[in-house]
Amino acid sequence: APVPFPHSGGFHKYDSWLASNPGKNGTTAALGSVVVEVQWEPCAPGFAAWPAAPPPRPLPQLTGTLVVTMVSAKGLRAADRKLIGQASSDPYAKVTAKVGPYAQLQKTKVVKKNLAPQWNEEFRFQFREPEYPQIQVEVMDHDLAGE
């Protein structure tokens, strides 16, 4: 699900519902909720995060760092069905930050057999583009994703 971007800088916490694709009758089924913390850390004017050696070609100035913390999810749908015992999932989250054609992807750890995972994992995305990034969060089941 897309996550609203904190344009003003500072810290924002989102607790949003995940929904599946629309069903045949036009309704959507709730798949659970996810808690995500988002913070934009703008760079001071003139700041450039260059490596020790100069880059081979001039790079645009670093505009800021997007900090996304995947806190938790709850009420997830069980994707791993069992004949005996309780159904569960092995969830992980994929966080994509994108500006124009440029996208950066990071993943949380897999939490085995859990429908309410606690990740508390922080991801940092640095950007050189003058636009604010779009943030996409997907919660996947490890077994179904084939990883």
Side-chain angles (χ1 to χ4, degrees), residues 100-138:
Y102 306 105
Q104 299 175 43
L105 170 70
Q106 297 201 39
K107 299 177 186 178
T108 66
K109 67 182 180 268
V110 175
V111 180
K112 296 283 190 181
K113 299 179 181 172
N114 199 312
L115 300 178
Q118 298 286 320
W119 291 293
N120 294 311
E121 291 186 47
E122 179 181 283
F123 302 114
R124 301 178 75 79
F125 303 92
Q126 291 188 330
F127 287 95
R128 299 184 186 284
E129 293 76 15
E131 307 167 38
Y132 288 116
Q134 296 174 345
I135 308 162
Q136 182 79 24
V137 174
E138 298 175 86

Side-chain angles (χ1 to χ4, degrees), residues 63-99:
T63 57
T65 300
L66 176 67
V67 182
V68 177
T69 303
M70 286 300 306
V71 179
S72 63
K74 62 184 175 183
L76 298 180
R77 179 178 52 98
D80 301 336
R81 305 283 178 202
K82 296 182 179 183
L83 294 175
I84 300 174
Q86 194 171 11
S88 65
S89 285
D90 303 319
Y92 69 97
K94 294 185 344 183
V95 180
T96 304
K98 181 179 179 183
V99 173

